[in-house]
Amino acid sequence: MGTFCSVIKFENLQELKRLCHWGPIIALGVIAICSTMAMIDSVLWYWPLHTTGGSVNFIMLINWTVMILYNYFNAMFVGPGFVPLGWKPENSQDTVYLQYCKVCQAYKAPRSHHCRKCNRCVMKMDHHCPWINNCCGFQNHASFTLFLLLAPLGCIHAAFIFVMTMYTQLYNRLSFGWSTVKIDMSAARRDPVPIIPFGLAAFAATLFALGLALGTTIAVGMLFFIQMKIILGNKTSIESWIEEKAKDRIQYHQLDKAFVFPYDMGSRWKNFKQVFTWSGVPEGDGLEWPIKEGCHPYSLTIEQLKQKADKRDRSVRYKVIEDYNGACCPLNKGIKTFFTSPCTEEPRIQLQKGEFILATRGLRYWLYGDKILDDYFREGVSRIRGWFPRNCVEKCPCDAEADQAPADEKKNR
């Protein structure tokens, strides 16, 4: 009853706006096509009212659809859970270990990160998923992962029905000649005549649904294995990335100590229970977390602060030499730039000749960084960050010389 009331409430129905996005529209469209075609084809292949097997098959189809949609909407509308606005730790001395979010006017709790799409700090943020048009985090991580498990299983069942339907419906329509094979797509030559006629349109729709089902099985199945891998380590996608950067930072500075991830409970089962519970409600409050023995309570946030400082030291300043209008796939910047545009929802930033950019990471033909703003434009704007084509900028002379110096020293040795 409580779940039903929460579904009706939908935070004053504002959450329904999440459906008006290309991600949920495509995802629900795929679910609707595969489920509808599977039910129609199951009637053609295995009539549910005549045999026990047919009834079980049809009930299982309905069961897959209901469970997939339940976990999908749960992940979308329950949401990840957000850090309360104005939050700060009980011990004021702990604020030195935490980052402050100017947008939320609060400190970022351990394992939380600010999402530019949701415009809030998300508790135990994993990533922002365009398919549910929401973040995956503390409260909906289990529902999201179950959706990733159930969707491929349901698609495998549907794909089997599609294959068996096409086989049984085409079996009596095939005529073999000495050098040809002909298919008669008129009414089936069998008794009794099927309730739903299987013509050319039905064959094409079944074939299309089979392609969707197989594609979904492969793509979503891979995402499920990736999620399970990080869950069994009690990590998130962002924390896995932070851990990799920590190893890179230690190697770059040639430090002796190794980074120890503080939230690994020591066993996969204990890590698993941090996300999946019988009640469906994750353990804890999303703000404080149990840590491994011997680790500092804020060791991950301390590492983030070190990486942030290190990124400033290692970032490169570029000068804009060519205007860029912020297009996702610019045609006027070259074929390679057009076809290698980053597959991400992260924004592109407009550039004007003479501006300066601080690049923090990049690809072969694209860079990611912050635009260096004048004081006049800085009021009310924390930063302008995003992707831009590499061929629109050039390194500033001071940074180019700094990069050349270590190479010259190495050559002299």
Side-chain angles (χ1 to χ4, degrees), residues 20-40:
C20 303
H21 183 265
W22 62 265
I25 290 172
I26 294 176
L28 292 173
V30 171
I31 294 171
I33 291 171
C34 291
S35 300
T36 303
M37 287 305 303
M39 291 178 188
I40 293 173

Side-chain angles (χ1 to χ4, degrees), residues 310-372:
D310 192 50
K311 185 172 70 173
R312 284 197 300 267
D313 295 338
R314 296 169 65 179
S315 58
V316 181
R317 192 170 64 160
Y318 287 84
K319 183 178 181 180
V320 180
I321 58 174
E322 188 177 328
D323 291 349
Y324 167 57
N325 61 1
C328 182
C329 300
L331 287 169
N332 60 341
K333 302 302 178 185
I335 296 297
K336 293 180 179 179
T337 301
F338 177 81
F339 284 108
T340 58
S341 178
C343 297
T344 173
E345 281 198 325
E346 289 176 318
R348 275 61 169 172
I349 55 175
Q350 296 183 3
L351 302 179
Q352 291 183 353
K353 190 174 180 180
E355 292 180 330
F356 291 93
I357 300 288
L358 201 63
T360 55
R361 55 188 168 98
L363 303 173
R364 187 171 182 181
Y365 298 103
W366 289 81
L367 290 172
Y368 184 88
D370 298 335
K371 184 183 289 189
I372 300 175

Side-chain angles (χ1 to χ4, degrees), residues 2 65 226 230:
T65 304
I226 292 172
I230 62 175

Side-chain angles (χ1 to χ4, degrees), residues 31-48 53-69 150-162 165 213:
I31 294 171
I33 291 171
C34 291
S35 300
T36 303
M37 287 305 303
M39 291 178 188
I40 293 173
D41 284 0
S42 66
V43 172
L44 287 168
W45 168 59
Y46 209 170
W47 178 242
S55 301
V56 171
N57 175 67
F58 199 79
I59 291 171
M60 281 298 296
L61 271 179
I62 297 175
N63 184 54
W64 288 127
T65 304
V66 171
M67 289 195 299
I68 289 170
L69 288 176
L150 295 169
L153 293 178
C155 285
I156 290 171
H157 187 188
F160 178 75
I161 291 173
F162 297 148
T165 301

